[in-house]
Amino acid sequence: MWKTIPTPWSFMAAITRMLTVVFLFAILAVARSQPRNIFLPVTKDQSTLQYVTQIKLGTPPVSRSLVVDLGGRGPWIDCDQIYKSSTYKPVLCGSEVCSFSKIQFCFVCYATQRPGCNNTRICDIIPINTVTNNFFIPAGELATDKVSVKTFSGARSGPDVILPRLILSCAPNALLEGLAAGTTGMAYLDGSPNGLPNQFSSAIGSRLPRIFALCLPSTPYKRGAILFGNPPYIFHANVNKSNQQDLSTELTYTRLIINPDSPESIQRGVRSTEYYVSLKSILVNKMPVSFNSTLLTLASGGTKISTAKPYTVLETSIYKSLASAFSKHMAAMKITKVAPVAPFTECFSTDNLAYTALGPDVPVIGLTFEDGAAWEMYGYNSMAEVSKRAVCLAFVDGGSAMGTKVVIGGRQLEDVLLQFDLRASRLGFTRSLIWGDHACENFAA
């Protein structure tokens, strides 16, 4: 009877197979344990009502405060104030990064060489301050630098991750005019190649799709969140913190449009990558507000979402119709009108005004979209408290010459979870998180 005797080669093969299996399991374990999403904190500046985030830029890393907006064309920073980083690199004309950024112009700076001024042909971009609508011509140097960002997975926070190449532009100190004190630039969440959603997705790959969620805080004393990547987005309740919920399950969706030919882009001479929606009608207590609805079409200006505006801004005829309808409903509720407080025109006494968990008990303002999706705004988001004795309708008359006819601003977005899915071209939104005893400050990770 023959007996098989193991050879040294068979032992080695077995050991190799075993080690391979162990190695694969280790890779899978690491992959599962690695946080897959990026998190940026966001706060509200008390003076300007702008939303501000912090990122660590450069080598050594320095924390920089940047004003957040959904428009623009990628992040920019002030380089006039001393910017020192050993990993800062200007983007050369004709380089891969210049092509990725879809930029067609180059320039040479002949002043003293420093970040923002290099004596060779550099890729040229026009940095824009979307708060003031100022921009810098002739050039803003395109550059790259390291960035350190926080990560999370579900309700678990992860380590900071260093991305070796964040594309940004240098701007002069004058472009900071109108921005919150202490900020040194702007972080744009737009749909351009250099917008943060595209850059983070390109840096990390398929694990981080071109999706981000925005949850803005309602006061300067709270912290909101910008979440890059797929759900879940876990938030805990206000009272019982052990009660956690994936708020992405509460999203209602409508079509998201990037409008390259927006009125603002024509004014600036730069194609827009801002986010528009197809608003169909505005309602007060479910009753349609009467105005020329063709103003809501993209051809006439349309509707966009902007965190650069503290309140929703409406073209004059739309605003007057909304204000009139709202005031009639308030009068029927025996709520007395009082003197206006700028920038508002419709203000009311709090003497007979009831309050609920959703803020002042006022008529509900509704937005309906072309696909039937409906967004309802209660007093928490529709009103602004201007004194202990008065509240005002937190919508603003933007004038009859407005390009974009409706700009949904920050107050109406606070403590609402918004998801911008750039792959599927859709916007997800929840009703006010206050409904479910949640708030943007309660992001669990």
Side-chain angles (χ1 to χ4, degrees), residues 39-115:
F39 158 70
L40 294 181
V42 58
T43 56
K44 185 176 182 178
D45 179 68
Q46 188 166 13
S47 177
T48 62
L49 306 183
Q50 294 164 10
Y51 304 97
V52 179
T53 191
Q54 290 80 36
I55 60 174
K56 292 181 180 179
L57 269 177
T59 305
V62 175
S63 181
R64 297 184 181 273
S65 296
L66 305 175
V67 173
V68 174
D69 188 27
L70 294 165
R73 290 183 69 202
W76 62 262
I77 57 170
D78 167 26
C79 288
D80 280 353
Q81 299 182 38
I82 298 174
Y83 184 91
K84 291 184 177 180
S85 171
S86 62
T87 47
Y88 176 94
K89 296 178 181 177
V91 174
L92 298 178
C93 188
S95 66
E96 177 263 333
V97 174
C98 196
S99 299
F100 172 83
S101 303
K102 299 186 183 301
I103 294 173
Q104 301 173 346
F105 304 101
C106 298
F107 80 108
V108 178
C109 177
Y110 294 103
T112 303
Q113 187 155 312
R114 58 173 174 79

Side-chain angles (χ1 to χ4, degrees), residues 185-431:
M186 299 193 73
Y188 289 136
L189 304 174
D190 64 291
S192 72
N194 289 357
L196 291 183
N198 279 309
Q199 286 210 60
F200 288 161
S201 179
S202 297
I204 292 180
S206 59
R207 283 196 305 112
L208 191 77
R210 295 188 305 127
I211 296 174
F212 72 95
L214 180 67
C215 208
L216 297 176
S218 58
T219 74
Y221 313 107
K222 299 178 180 180
R223 187 191 75 172
I226 308 170
L227 311 172
F228 297 87
N230 276 321
Y233 308 132
I234 307 296
F235 288 73
H236 63 73
N238 287 322
V239 178
N240 182 6
K241 293 188 177 182
S242 63
N243 179 13
Q244 298 185 342
Q245 182 182 353
D246 174 15
L247 294 183
S248 70
T249 61
E250 302 291 321
L251 292 169
T252 296
Y253 293 97
T254 190
R255 185 163 68 105
L256 181 67
I257 305 164
I258 294 180
N259 181 17
D261 300 314
S262 71
E264 289 76 14
S265 71
I266 295 172
Q267 176 188 356
R268 298 167 185 159
V270 178
R271 303 207 83 186
S272 169
T273 51
E274 295 176 295
Y275 301 117
Y276 280 68
V277 287
S278 291
L279 183 63
K280 182 179 179 182
S281 60
I282 301 175
L283 301 89
V284 176
N285 274 356
K286 300 188 182 300
M287 298 178 62
V289 175
S290 178
F291 58 87
N292 180 6
S293 61
T294 59
L295 295 174
L296 300 179
T297 63
L298 280 182
S300 297
T303 302
K304 75 175 180 180
I305 305 173
S306 172
T307 55
K309 300 295 184 184
Y311 307 103
T312 292
V313 185
L314 306 173
E315 183 273 339
T316 292
S317 65
I318 302 175
Y319 176 80
K320 287 183 175 179
S321 297
L322 171 64
S324 174
F326 188 86
S327 294
K328 286 179 181 177
H329 280 273
M330 290 290 275
M333 297 170 64
K334 309 299 183 185
I335 307 299
T336 306
K337 208 167 182 181
V338 297
V341 178
F344 312 116
T345 66
E346 307 302 302
C347 297
F348 306 88
S349 169
T350 59
D351 288 347
N352 297 323
L353 187 62
Y355 281 78
T356 71
L358 296 173
D361 186 12
V362 297
V364 178
I365 294 177
L367 306 180
T368 59
F369 301 97
E370 64 174 4
D371 46 17
W375 184 348
E376 291 189 329
M377 297 176 182
Y378 295 81
Y380 185 86
N381 292 102
S382 66
M383 306 300 288
E385 185 180 273
V386 294
S387 73
K388 292 183 179 180
R389 303 295 303 274
V391 294
C392 299
L393 179 64
F395 290 68
V396 176
D397 183 350
S400 58
M402 271 185 76
T404 299
K405 298 303 187 286
V406 178
V407 181
I408 303 174
R411 180 64 186 137
Q412 284 64 49
L413 307 177
E414 290 172 353
D415 284 319
V416 172
L417 181 67
L418 301 170
Q419 185 196 63
F420 296 78
D421 187 339
L422 307 190
R423 303 173 309 172
S425 297
R426 66 177 186 173
L427 171 73
F429 56 90
T430 64
R431 60 184 179 178

